[in-house]
């Protein structure tokens, strides 16, 4: 039997090539089956008329895929051309897209145009090993969601995939803002605590200083409420240190001093100026003693009053001494006024006396002159001449006395009269002549030694 050659019969070379292709397909099928049996693959991408379709496989790693599906981060597998081979439900929710629209499609549709270059760099670095970055992804509704991306190349060299973990960082950013706010508040609280510790230390140092003062010391708030009294106060008033009330000081003020003191204190609080006043405070025995009260505002660096610091200093003896001095000065003024009146009366007396005595002495002097004329010297007995001279000397001294009274009156009215030298011998002689009758009666003797001061001013 003979056979005719068919033009469509493959040649041995073609058969050998077809056998080799079939062998390769069989080998690939066996490798695929082996991979499916061993769980080395999770899904299959099958090319169809409408594009590639992804078929997921179930196997021994079902629990692992369940974990991936339930975690809070988005997870996906990308092919070298960024086709989505796998995507979990979390990422689909973050991108606001149905899961079926993600599988088998390019992931580039969710990358904003302005971040395309940055995305390509992350992909390139991810295929080279690992890469991380932050960028927004555009959701199916067009909104941008900030994401942290971690890319890592997986699988064998002949079928590599790019694993991507996407984490929503919008909540993390809110947490960062909250943390920053909390940190700022903590820092502010730390500064406040530090300031409070400094104020407490300052208050302790102030209390230590005020306790060492030998005066009553106190502090008050900026509003004027009493905040501290040192032990001098309680020792002076005999009050219980535990019984400190805002009106404790006011309760011990003298009723006559209470209203003026409170007015001065309120004025100091309003003006923020220093205060100084005098008042009487009742002691433990119920006696009122004069006190000098002072208060100064203590300001911070901003100039605000943080507290008032004041003292009461016992000035009772000084106040009484000033009262006695004032009384003495008042008495002295009265005495001066009385002396002024006496001097005025004396001036009147001197004027009157000098005027009234001048006429009689002038008459006596005229009579002596007449007697000298009527009684010639040769007819005068020896005892008459000395008596006439003594009478004339007495008249002269009396006239000088009247003149001296006038000079004294002038000196009292005008203390600027010129000072003149006086010879003591003549002055003493005049006085001796005035006292001569008394000296003769008493048989007295006058001894004079004015050699070293014959003249005085």
């Amino acid at each position: 039997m003979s056979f005719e050659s068919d033009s469509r019969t493959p040649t041995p070379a073609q058969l050998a090539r077809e056998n080799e292709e079939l062998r390769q397909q069989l080998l690939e099928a066996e490798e695929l089956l082996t991979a499916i049996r061993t769980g080395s693959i999770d899904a299959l991408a099958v090319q169809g008329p409408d594009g590639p379709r992804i078929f997921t496989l179930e196997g021994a790693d079902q629990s692992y895929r369940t974990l991936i599906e339930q975690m809070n981060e988005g997870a996906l597998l990308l092919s070298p051309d960024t086709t989505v081979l796998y995507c979990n439900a979390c990422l689909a929710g973050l991108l606001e897209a149905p899961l079926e629209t993600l599988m088998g499609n390019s992931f580039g549709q969710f990358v904003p145009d302005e971040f395309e270059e940055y995305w390509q760099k992350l992909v390139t670095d991810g295929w080279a090993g690992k890469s991380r970055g932050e960028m927004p992804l555009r959701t199916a509704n067009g909104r941008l969601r900030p994401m942290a991306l971690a890319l890592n190349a997986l699988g064998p060299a002949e079928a590599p995939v790019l694993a991507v973990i996407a984490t929503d960082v919008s909540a993390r950013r809110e947490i960062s803002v909250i943390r920053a706010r909390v940190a700022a508040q903590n820092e502010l609280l730390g500064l406040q605590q530090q300031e409070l510790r400094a104020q407490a230390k300052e208050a302790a140092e102030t209390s230590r200083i005020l306790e060492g003062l030998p005066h009553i010391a106190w502090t008050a708030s900026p509003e004027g409420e009493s905040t501290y009294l040192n032990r001098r106060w309680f020792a002076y008033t005999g009050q219980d240190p535990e019984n400190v009330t805002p009106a404790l000081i006011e309760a011990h003020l003298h009723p006559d001093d209470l209203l003026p003191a409170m007015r001065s204190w309120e004025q100091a609080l309003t003006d923020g100026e220093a205060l100084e006043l005098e008042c009487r405070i009742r002691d433990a025995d119920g006696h009122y003693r004069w006190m000098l009260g002072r208060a100064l505002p203590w300001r911070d660096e901003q100039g605000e009053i943080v507290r008032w610091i004041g003292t009461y200093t016992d000035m009772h003896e000084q106040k009484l001494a000033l009262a006695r001095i004032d009384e003495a000065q008042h008495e002295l003024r009265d005495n001066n006024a009385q002396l002024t009146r006496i001097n005025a009366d004396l001036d009147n007396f001197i004027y009157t006396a000098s005027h009234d005595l001048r006429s009689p002495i002038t008459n006596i002097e005229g009579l002596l002159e007449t007697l000298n004329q009527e009684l010639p010297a040769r007819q005068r007995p020896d005892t008459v001449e000395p008596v006439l001279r003594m009478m004339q000397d007495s008249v002269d001294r009396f006239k000088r006395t009247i003149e001296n009274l006038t000079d004294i009156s002038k000196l009292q009215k005008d203390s600027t009269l010129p000072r003149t030298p006086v010879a003591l011998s003549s002055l003493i002689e005049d006085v001796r002549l005035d006292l001569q009758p008394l000296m003769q009666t008493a048989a007295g003797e006058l001894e004079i030694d004015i050699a070293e001061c014959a003249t005085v001013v």
Side-chain angles (χ1 to χ4, degrees):
M1 183 170 72
S2 61
F3 297 93
E4 296 181 358
S5 175
D6 190 355
S7 60
R8 291 179 298 177
T9 301
T11 63
Q14 291 176 340
L15 292 173
R17 186 167 54 254
E18 290 179 358
N19 289 336
E20 183 64 27
E21 291 177 355
L22 292 174
R23 189 180 294 110
Q24 290 294 333
Q25 292 178 2
L26 179 60
L27 180 61
E28 290 179 359
E30 290 178 349
E31 290 178 352
L32 178 59
L33 292 174
T34 301
I36 292 174
R37 285 195 300 269
T38 59
S40 300
I41 63 176
D42 297 326
L44 294 175
V46 180
Q47 186 67 31
D50 297 330
R53 298 182 63 188
I54 305 300
F55 298 91
T56 60
L57 301 178
E58 294 183 359
D61 58 347
Q62 181 63 30
S63 61
Y64 170 74
R65 281 197 294 272
T66 302
L67 176 64
I68 296 299
E69 287 295 332
Q70 294 182 354
M71 69 181 188
N72 293 328
E73 285 81 13
L76 73 155
L77 296 176
L78 299 179
S79 66
D81 61 353
T82 67
T83 299
V84 179
L85 301 178
Y86 168 78
C87 175
N88 67 350
C90 179
L91 183 60
L94 292 175
L95 296 178
E96 301 176 357
L99 187 62
E100 58 271 14
T101 62
L102 293 172
M103 306 290 282
N105 294 317
S106 175
F107 189 72
Q109 62 180 316
F110 301 104
V111 177
D113 295 339
E114 58 271 23
F115 288 91
E116 180 64 32
E117 183 178 355
Y118 182 72
W119 165 249
Q120 292 299 331
K121 184 177 183 304
L122 289 178
V123 171
T124 302
D125 294 341
W127 283 114
K130 294 181 179 181
S131 65
R132 289 179 179 273
E134 288 190 9
M135 58 175 288
L137 294 179
R138 183 185 295 110
T139 66
N141 295 327
R143 292 183 296 180
L144 296 180
R145 185 183 295 275
M147 307 290 285
L149 303 177
L151 295 79
N152 188 16
L154 300 175
E158 58 272 12
V161 293
L162 186 63
V164 181
I165 301 297
T167 304
D168 186 2
V169 297
S170 57
R172 190 178 70 184
R173 290 184 177 180
E174 293 178 1
I175 293 175
S176 299
V177 173
I178 294 175
R179 286 179 177 175
R181 188 175 302 169
V182 171
Q185 291 179 351
N186 289 338
E187 183 179 1
L188 179 60
L189 181 60
L191 293 176
Q192 291 177 348
Q193 290 177 348
Q194 183 178 359
E195 184 178 355
L196 288 176
R197 286 193 296 268
Q199 291 179 356
K201 182 179 179 181
E202 182 180 351
E205 181 66 18
T206 302
S207 299
R208 186 184 66 82
I209 294 175
L210 295 181
E211 286 294 341
L213 292 177
H215 314 286
I216 295 173
W218 54 271
T219 62
S221 65
E223 294 76 22
E225 295 183 359
S226 178
T227 57
Y228 167 80
L229 287 164
N230 71 346
R231 59 184 178 182
R232 299 281 181 179
W233 167 264
F234 300 102
Y236 176 79
T237 60
Q239 296 295 308
D240 184 4
E242 301 298 330
N243 186 23
V244 178
T245 61
L248 187 62
I249 296 179
E250 290 85 341
H252 288 77
L253 289 178
H254 193 280
D256 295 341
D257 302 333
L258 178 59
L259 185 58
M262 295 307 299
R263 288 178 178 174
S264 300
W265 176 229
E266 292 174 358
Q267 187 66 36
L269 292 175
T270 302
D271 300 337
E273 300 294 337
L275 169 68
E276 182 171 327
L277 56 84
E278 295 179 2
C279 61
R280 287 162 287 182
I281 299 179
R282 188 176 66 252
D283 61 11
D285 298 328
H287 301 145
Y288 286 96
R289 295 182 64 84
W290 281 101
M291 296 284 181
L292 174 62
R294 293 189 177 97
L296 289 174
W298 192 331
R299 304 179 185 271
D300 57 14
E301 295 179 354
Q302 289 74 33
E304 298 294 332
I305 298 177
V306 296
R307 71 172 60 90
W308 286 84
I309 298 180
T311 59
Y312 285 108
T313 304
D314 193 324
M315 56 172 297
H316 193 70
E317 283 73 17
Q318 180 182 1
K319 188 74 174 180
L320 296 180
L322 291 175
R324 288 193 294 268
I325 293 174
D326 184 69
E327 183 180 356
Q329 290 177 345
H330 182 73
E331 183 179 356
L332 182 59
R333 287 192 295 269
D334 293 341
N335 292 336
N336 287 335
Q338 184 178 1
L339 289 175
T340 301
R341 291 192 299 270
I342 292 174
N343 288 333
D345 294 341
L346 182 59
D347 290 340
N348 294 331
F349 169 76
I350 292 174
Y351 175 78
T352 303
S354 60
H355 183 272
D356 292 343
L357 293 177
R358 193 179 299 276
S359 295
I361 199 66
T362 302
N363 293 335
I364 292 174
E365 187 177 15
L367 292 175
L368 285 175
E369 182 66 24
T370 302
L371 182 60
N372 286 328
Q373 292 178 359
E374 293 295 333
L375 185 61
R378 63 180 179 274
Q379 297 179 0
R380 299 175 187 174
D382 295 338
T383 57
V384 173
E385 187 66 25
V387 172
L388 291 176
R389 286 198 303 270
M390 292 177 59
M391 291 177 64
Q392 186 61 47
D393 292 339
S394 296
V395 169
D396 293 339
R397 287 199 306 274
F398 199 84
K399 291 172 62 177
R400 288 196 299 271
T401 300
I402 294 175
E403 293 176 357
N404 290 337
L405 288 175
T406 305
D407 293 338
I408 290 175
S409 177
K410 292 180 179 179
L411 285 173
Q412 289 179 343
K413 292 181 180 179
D414 188 2
S415 60
T416 60
L417 292 177
R419 295 160 63 101
T420 58
V422 176
L424 287 180
S425 58
S426 59
L427 180 61
I428 294 173
E429 180 62 21
D430 290 341
V431 175
R432 188 189 65 80
L433 291 175
D434 291 335
L435 299 179
Q436 185 174 6
L438 295 177
M439 293 177 63
Q440 290 177 351
T441 302
E445 294 182 359
L446 179 63
E447 296 182 359
I448 303 173
D449 184 6
I450 55 174
E452 296 183 359
C453 54
T455 302
V456 296
V457 178

